[in-house]
Amino acid sequence: MTDQENQLLARADEVLPSIIHILPIAARPFFPGQGVPLLMDAGFWMPTIEAIQASDSDLIGLLLTPDDEAENTSPDAMYEIGTVGRIHKVHTVDGRLQVLVECLQRFRVEKFISDTPPYIARVEYLREPGGKPSEEVKAYALAIINTIKELLPLNPLLQEELRFFLDRFGPDNPSLLADFATGLTSANKTEQQEVLETVELLPRMEKVLALLSKELELARSQQKIRETVEERMDSQQREFFLREQLKVIQQELGISKDDRTADIDKFRTRLEQLTLTEEAAERVEDELDKLAMLDSSSAEYNVTRNYLDWITLLPWGRESKDNLELNHARKILDRDHFGLEDVKERILEFLALGIQRGEIKGSIILLVGPPGVGKTSIGKSVAEAMGRKFYRFSVGGIRDEAEIKGHRRTYIGAMPGKFIQAMKQAGAQNPVIMLDEIDKIGASYQGDPASALLEVLDPEQNSEFLDHYLDLRFDLSETLFICTANQLDSIPAPLLDRMEIIQLSGYIPEEKLQIGRRYLLPKQLREAGLKRGDVKINAPVLRKIIEDYARDAGVRRLDKQLARIVRKAVVKIQEGHESPITIEKDDLKTYLGPAVFRDERNLAGPGVVTGLAWTAMGGATLSIEAVHTHSYNRGFKLTGQLGDVMKESAEIAYGYVLSHARQFGIPDNYFEKAFIHLHVPAGATPKDGPSAGVTMASALVSLALGKKLRPIAMTGELTLTGEVFPVGGIREKVIAARRAGIRELILPADNQGDWEEIPEYIRKGIRVHFATTYEDILPLLFQKKPRRRNTGRSK
């Protein structure tokens, strides 16, 4: 600013009025020396502008308000210090006031005369520092100028404002320089208001320099980010252009095709090898036409491409040729499985029926049995015997119906269901598909997968199976479905009704002995990298392993125990022990630890009876104990975590024995004050079912008579009148008795047919008595030898 301009400004300061109109502003404060345009609501602020124009001077006081809108403020909310300015131009455009104001000097409000618009206030003007600037002030001014110079290359927009400042004022005016520099920053309005309120020059310049330094750091960060982005964009654009040029050159030379053409040609090549249905062929043509019109970089292109990829990879009309030789199937089953003769026979009957018809289709086999009996391996053997592709997946725990029938194509990450995936993997329309753990399928808010399986497995429906992703009919009728389950109770009845049920009851010790010698031990030696003779386990030792460590229905536990022995043998060989390593009975505790299973027959004495039970793991022996606790009062107590049905059986047995005590030879006064406790050992294991009635009654009779029972096991449901009703799981219970070394059984007479269906090699050496009523059972309990051998119903 020139000396003449300083003198004029000084004279104008002396004549500035002490009462002025006030205009609140919400965006930011303004500083002396600035010319600023204001944009206001004409309807609200026009009376204020008109009042100013009607006054002697065109002066207005600009006060910052913390509010976001100036129209909603009040005098109490405005800052005390602001800038007085002179109005030069006023325009009204579309209901908005455009006012150009030249800012002159700082002021402080002493008192508001009018608290409502138009606001009027008495003010005091704050004089700017004058005189020759000190050396320290000059140093700060130079620092501010240098910082602005560093900002100019980073923000070209500041060059125009700097030129405007230099045209009107000189850089030797530190007060105006500080105010001008504050206006260049992007500081918030509170920070700028602090600069406006700092009248003293040196503290004001310190604050301004701090704001400029912060602005410089921010501008440098933005410049660095911009350069990084531009560099990346330049690299990507260059690579894009080069690739596009390469594609054009290759297409011109006939070397390659673009992605869209290559995809379409690939799909049409696949379609030539398929026999699509009319519906599928029309859909594929529509999708190919759509693919030809879409941009290869669009999301819809990828969705359509994936859809066509799935359709063209499915084996439409492609089938593997069946091997219809029954002898071949028999050899495969005998090679892979020892025992299970009745199961093999059922499988061969099923295959023979298909051979007779000339095709095997529309069938669902359900293999039911405890874990480890070979259900999954039988499915693999059936597929190999038929010469078909094999695909296996577990449906246990599936809760989403979309896992069976697929997702709609509109969903992100949509895929076909398990069965369409199986068809793609198998590559043939007639594979063998195994559904493991079908008894453990779940249901949730996402649908009922078990109901969805009906459409898949039902021969009347699966010829037109509709997957939600494909939205096309696909023929599953040529597929052979083999399902596995541990029990039938949790399988829905409509689903169970469509299946051919084959029971696998488990292995007896003799069978497990042969399986261990022929299959399991050689397999473990082979997997450990040993030769067949490096580890020797003779038959007696293997039998002891079965009896003491692997007495369950399957052979999985036996396989694990043999694996433990082989691992420890490998350690010995690595430590220098010479092979072969021979395992003796006395070595088992070292290799396998203490015996896992104990002999149930050790539980003996008056009131102790061995029952037979069925579990999901197969058959099991179940000891029942009854004791006379005290004679203080009469009572009957049950323990052993029994279910409701088993508790009812106990109550019935107690009532029946009580009502027939004299007939059984029990003293008349025995039950008058006898408190009897009946317990089923292994209390941590839940037990339920109706088949323990005769066992509980026999325990009460044995206790009351004080006689020990012979080594005999029994099962059957008892009524209050003494009738013995049939029970289930006879095969499993007989195998359990044989596994436990029990050779004499009592079964309900109505289960004689179930006994006769059991293979002869399992029944061999077991004496069975069939009972119609409990009176048939009583004579068999205590005598050393039965009076006669029953081959049918007891009289």
Side-chain angles (χ1 to χ4, degrees), residues 569-614:
V570 169
V571 173
K572 287 189 174 183
I573 293 175
Q574 292 296 323
E575 291 175 347
H577 195 284
E578 294 184 1
S579 59
I581 295 178
T582 304
I583 310 299
E584 303 293 343
K585 288 184 178 181
D586 296 337
D587 300 330
L588 292 182
K589 191 171 183 179
T590 303
Y591 281 89
L592 302 178
V596 177
F597 295 92
R598 60 188 177 88
D599 195 346
E600 297 289 349
R601 290 172 293 172
N602 292 334
L603 295 177
V608 180
V609 181
T610 301
L612 299 174
W614 178 91

Side-chain angles (χ1 to χ4, degrees), residues 44 66 76 147 228 235 322 409 438 440 472 557 600 710:
F44 194 87
D76 295 337
T147 306
T228 303
S235 176
D322 287 340
R409 260 204 297 168
I438 198 170
K440 298 175 182 63
L472 291 171
R557 189 190 296 267
E600 297 289 349
R710 296 189 301 111

Side-chain angles (χ1 to χ4, degrees), residues 513 517 537-548 583-586 588:
L513 178 65
R517 294 178 61 184
I537 303 177
N538 57 31
V541 176
L542 188 57
R543 186 181 297 276
K544 186 170 180 60
I545 295 174
I546 294 170
E547 292 177 352
D548 292 352
I583 310 299
E584 303 293 343
K585 288 184 178 181
D586 296 337
L588 292 182

Side-chain angles (χ1 to χ4, degrees), residues 292-455:
M293 298 171 59
L294 292 172
D295 182 25
S296 59
S297 61
S298 66
E300 190 175 358
Y301 179 88
N302 290 325
V303 172
T304 305
R305 181 186 178 281
N306 290 339
Y307 179 72
L308 285 169
D309 195 45
W310 271 103
I311 289 183
T312 55
L313 285 175
L314 289 176
W316 298 89
R318 186 187 301 161
E319 297 181 359
S320 57
K321 186 177 180 181
D322 287 340
N323 188 335
L324 301 179
E325 294 184 8
L326 201 59
N327 290 333
H328 173 72
R330 190 186 301 276
K331 290 179 181 178
I332 295 294
L333 291 173
D334 289 338
R335 182 199 67 189
D336 296 341
H337 301 87
F338 183 84
L340 301 179
E341 299 300 331
D342 54 338
V343 176
K344 294 178 185 177
E345 200 62 34
R346 292 285 297 276
I347 295 291
L348 291 173
E349 291 172 2
F350 169 79
L351 296 177
L353 186 61
I355 294 172
Q356 183 65 31
R357 292 198 309 255
E359 59 178 359
I360 301 174
K361 60 181 293 186
S363 302
I364 314 166
I365 298 175
L366 175 61
L367 302 175
V368 184
V373 296
K375 300 186 293 296
T376 303
S377 59
I378 285 179
K380 293 180 181 178
S381 299
V382 170
E384 184 180 352
M386 297 174 62
R388 291 192 177 189
K389 301 288 186 180
F390 180 76
Y391 185 87
R392 169 185 172 268
F393 66 91
S394 175
V395 296
I398 288 182
R399 294 179 173 271
D400 190 354
E401 183 180 328
E403 293 286 331
I404 305 297
K405 302 191 68 174
H407 305 82
R408 301 287 181 185
R409 260 204 297 168
T410 53
Y411 297 140
I412 296 175
M415 289 187 66
K418 292 284 189 182
F419 291 92
I420 295 299
Q421 296 179 35
M423 288 295 172
K424 173 188 171 184
Q425 188 73 23
Q429 206 164 344
N430 61 338
V432 174
I433 295 181
M434 171 159 278
L435 282 67
D436 266 341
E437 312 294 347
I438 198 170
D439 56 327
K440 298 175 182 63
I441 195 168
S444 69
Y445 66 93
Q446 295 170 310
D448 184 5
S451 298
L453 278 177
L454 289 175
E455 182 181 353

